[in-house]
C-alpha cells in the first residue's frame, strides 16, 4: 500500500447530520465529494446543509478551488464509491448493518482506498471482522459534531487495521486542518464522548440532588472551568495550576483533595423524574430563546475562539509517523 | 440587617495567590482594599501581583477611579478589618484556624459586615460554628482561580447563614461583573471543583490505561468538547445536541449510550507510577515552552473569549432575590 497517494475525491455514505457536515468540510477544503444516502429527500437536505454551513466555512478559510458545486449525489452506493480515494461512512449505528456494508465496500474498492467510519458506538474490530479482502484499510475516523466546525477527529484502528492506514488517515485529516488524536486501544465512546459523559454525570447529579439549578450548573461550567478547557487540556492546565512548581507541585498539593472529591462524586440514574427536572430546568434557563438563535450564538463564539487559538498554532506537524509506518501488522 | 449598604471598602485576609488576585479585581472595580497577611514579604508580593495583573484588568475594563494605589497593607488583622464593609478571607484551609479566625472576626466587626470565605475545602457550617454573635453574616464566596480573570464565584451559606447575607453577597459579586452561582446545599468541592475532578478522573484514567498519550488527551479535550464548555453549559449544549427536537429528543436518543459509557468510566488511583506517566507525558507535550509563556497564552486567549462572550451577555440581572430576602432564618 502506498502511503503517498493524494486524496482528492471522497465518498460520503450517509448524509444525516454528521455526513452532511463532513461533506461541507471536504468541499471547503477543495475536495470532490460524491454522496449517497437512501432517504428520499437526502440530496435536498444535503445541499441545504452545505449552503447553510458555507458562510462559516468562508469565515474559517476556503481552500483554492473550493466550491459547493463539487458535490454530486447518487442514491446508488456502488456508483458513489467508484473512483473515490477515501470513503467516510456515517451509516446507522447497528453492527449487523455495518458489517454487511463493510464486506460489500471491501469487495467494491481497490485496496488502497481507505474506508473510515464516523462510528461513535461500535469498534472497528467488530465492523471489519467480515471483510474478506482488505480489512487493514478500515479505520475509525470519529469527528466531534459538527465536523465542519470542531477540529477534533479521533483515529483508532481495529485488530486488523494496518499502521499504514492509521498514518494515512492522520495525514489526511491533519492536511484538512483537523486535530487528529490517536487512540492506541479501542474503548467505548473513544475519548471525547467519555470525557463528556464523565462531566455530564456530575452535572446531572448536582441537579438531581438539588445542589444547584440547571441554569446555575451551566453557569458554573461555562464561566468557570469550561472557559479554560477550550484553550488547553486538563493536564496542561494542571501544570499551570502548580504555579512555578508545575505539574509536580500540582500533584504534591492536590492529589489528596482531588482524591477525596472523587469519592463523593455522584452516579445518578436518568429516571423519568431526573430527566424531567433537567428538562424543566433547561427550559427555565433558555426562556424564549429559540434553538436556532442559540446555535448561531454557539457557533459564532466557537469560530471566534478558533480564530483566537489559531494565533498560537504552529502549522500542523505530521508528528505521528513512526518507524512502523508502511508495515501492515 | 440592611441589604442596601453599599460595599466600598473590602478587607482581604491572606494575600497568597487567591487573596492577591481578589485584591487586583476589587481595585480594578474601583473599591478600596485593606490587605493583611502574616508572611514577611507579603506586601511586596501583593503589590507585584497587582502590578502584573493590571494590564489584563485594563483590557477587561477598569471602573472609574480604579487605582492600584487604593490598596493599603497592614500585618495587623484587627487594623485591616476596621471600617471594612466586607471581608474576603483567604486563609489556610485548616478548620481549627478558620473557626478561631471567624470567632475573632465576629467579635471585631459590626453585624452588617459580611465575612466571605474563599474556602474550597471546608463548609461554612463548620467555619461559623463558633461565632458568638452574628454567624448569619458569614458565607462562602468561592472564586475560580484566578478571580481577577475567571468570572465564576460560588455562593453557599452554612446552617446559620441568613438569606439576606446570601442575597447581599450575590449582589456584591454580580455588581463587580462576576458570575455568581448559588448552591442550595453544602457539598465537598462546591460545583466547579467537582466538575473538574470528574473530568480529570477520566483524563487520568485514559492515560493510565495507555489508551491515549497526555498530549493527545489534552488535544481531544481542548479541540473537542472543551471548545464548547467555555461557551455554554452542558445541559444547554445537550439541548442543542438534540437538534430541532431539543433536550427532550437528546434524552430520548442519548440516555442509553451515555448510561452505557458511564458504566465503563474509570476510577484510577494516583499511584506514584500513574503520576509519573502523567508528568512524563506532560513534559513531552510541553517541550521547551516555559510556564510563564504558557500562562500568557492561556490568559490572552481567555480574555479574548471573555470579550467574545460579552457581546452576547445582557447586563447582569439581580435575578436571585426571593421573597425570603431580608428574613434571617
Amino acid at each position: 500500500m502506498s502511503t503517498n497517494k493524494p486524496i482528492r475525491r471522497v465518498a460520503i455514505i450517509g448524509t444525516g447530520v454528521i455526513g452532511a457536515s463532513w461533506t461541507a468540510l471536504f468541499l471547503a477544503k477543495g475536495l470532490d465529494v460524491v454522496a449517497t444516502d437512501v432517504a428520499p429527500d437526502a440530496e435536498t437536505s444535503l445541499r441545504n446543509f452545505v449552503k447553510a454551513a458555507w458562510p462559516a466555512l468562508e469565515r474559517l478559510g476556503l481552500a483554492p478551488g473550493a466550491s459547493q458545486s463539487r458535490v454530486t449525489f447518487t442514491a446508488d452506493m456502488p456508483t458513489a464509491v467508484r473512483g473515490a480515494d477515501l470513503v467516510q461512512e456515517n451509516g446507522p449505528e447497528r453492527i449487523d448493518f455495518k458489517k454487511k456494508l463493510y464486506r460489500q465496500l471491501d469487495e467494491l474498492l481497490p485496496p488502497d482506498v481507505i474506508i473510515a467510519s464516523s462510528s461513535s458506538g461500535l469498534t472497528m474490530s467488530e465492523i471489519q471482522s467480515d471483510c474478506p479482502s482488505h480489512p487493514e484499510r478500515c479505520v475509525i475516523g470519529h469527528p466531534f459534531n459538527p465536523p465542519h466546525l470542531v477540529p477534533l477527529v479521533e483515529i483508532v484502528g481495529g485488530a486488523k487495521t494496518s499502521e499504514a492506514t492509521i498514518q494515512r488517515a492522520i495525514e489526511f485529516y491533519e492536511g484538512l486542518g483537523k486535530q487528529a488524536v490517536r487512540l492506541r486501544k479501542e474503548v467505548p465512546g473513544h475519548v471525547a464522548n467519555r470525557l463528556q459523559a464523565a462531566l455530564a454525570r456530575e452535572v446531572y447529579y448536582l441537579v438531581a440532588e438539588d445542589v444547584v439549578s440547571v441554569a446555575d450548573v451551566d453557569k458554573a461550567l461555562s464561566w468557570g472551568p469550561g472557559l479554560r478547557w477550550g484553550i488547553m487540556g486538563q493536564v496542561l492546565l494542571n501544570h499551570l495550576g502548580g504555579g512555578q512548581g508545575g505539574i509536580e507541585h500540582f500533584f504534591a498539593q492536590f492529589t489528596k483533595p482531588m482524591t477525596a472529591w472523587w469519592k463523593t462524586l455522584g452516579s445518578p440514574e436518568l429516571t423519568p423524574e431526573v430527566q424531567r427536572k433537567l428538562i424543566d430546568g433547561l427550559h427555565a434557563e433558555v426562556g424564549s430563546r429559540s434553538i436556532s438563535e442559540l446555535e448561531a450564538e454557539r457557533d459564532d463564539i466557537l469560530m471566534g475562539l478558533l480564530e483566537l487559538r489559531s494565533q498560537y498554532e504552529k502549522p500542523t506537524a505530521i508528528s505521528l509517523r513512526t518507524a512502523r509506518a508502511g508495515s501492515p501488522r
Side-chain angles (χ1 to χ4, degrees), chain A residues 13 33 48 102 118 129 143 159 189 194 211 217 242 245 290 299 326:
Chain A
I13 300 180
V33 179
N48 288 342
Y102 277 68
S118 302
S129 59
R194 293 175 69 90
V211 173
V217 77
S290 72
D299 294 345

Side-chain angles (χ1 to χ4, degrees), chain A residues 129-140:
Chain A
S129 59
D130 281 356
C131 289
S133 307
H134 291 285
E136 77 281 355
R137 55 38 191 286
C138 300
V139 65
I140 299 275

